[in-house]
Amino acid sequence: MAGPIRYRPADVARWLEIGAGSMRRTNAPTRVPGGEIGRVILETVGKVVGQGKGALVQVAVRRLGHLEYRLYDDRIEVTTASSERCVSYDRISAIETMRPGEYRVVTRDGALRIKPYAWLNVTGLRVPFGWLRDGMEVPFELLIEELAGRAKIVVEKA
């Protein structure tokens, strides 16, 4: 039996950390109505908001660091920051497209939802970030296509 094929989030975490760093450095304007006390209050509020956003980014990076889909010969294992789940391919009865980029894997024991961990939004075009499949960048949908092939089913379009 070969080792698993691993799907992990692409390196979006690096860009989140870079963005969080610049948010932390952002200061409130130095000239505000109300004189010195107003400036101090605005700077303090700006720093607190920046730190709060930075903390949210750290949580997101930690969650992305735990997200992994492992495809074995007979099953898929899904690991998130809060849980781990294993589903045999023979227990998958359908893969339904919920909306663009979001899928519902129907099993005999319930359902598994696979959706993008992040979106790229450029001039009105919104596309899901892809995966690192054993270290190589691949489109988001490849995970769904490979899972459907291993489960020997066809993805149902919405």
Side-chain angles (χ1 to χ4, degrees), residues 35-93:
E36 184 68 18
I37 199 80
R39 183 184 61 77
V40 170
I41 290 171
L42 278 179
E43 283 182 4
T44 303
V45 168
K47 287 178 183 177
V48 168
V49 169
Q51 292 298 324
K53 288 179 181 178
L56 288 174
V57 168
Q58 288 175 342
V59 169
V61 168
R62 196 171 312 127
R63 289 184 69 193
L64 286 177
H66 287 93
L67 180 60
E68 183 175 68
Y69 293 87
R70 291 179 301 278
L71 301 177
Y72 291 87
D73 293 337
D74 60 341
R75 69 191 184 281
I76 181 173
E77 291 179 357
V78 182
T79 302
T80 66
S82 60
S83 68
E84 190 163 320
R85 186 160 179 201
C86 178
V87 177
S88 295
Y89 299 132
D90 61 0
R91 298 192 71 76
I92 297 174
S93 58

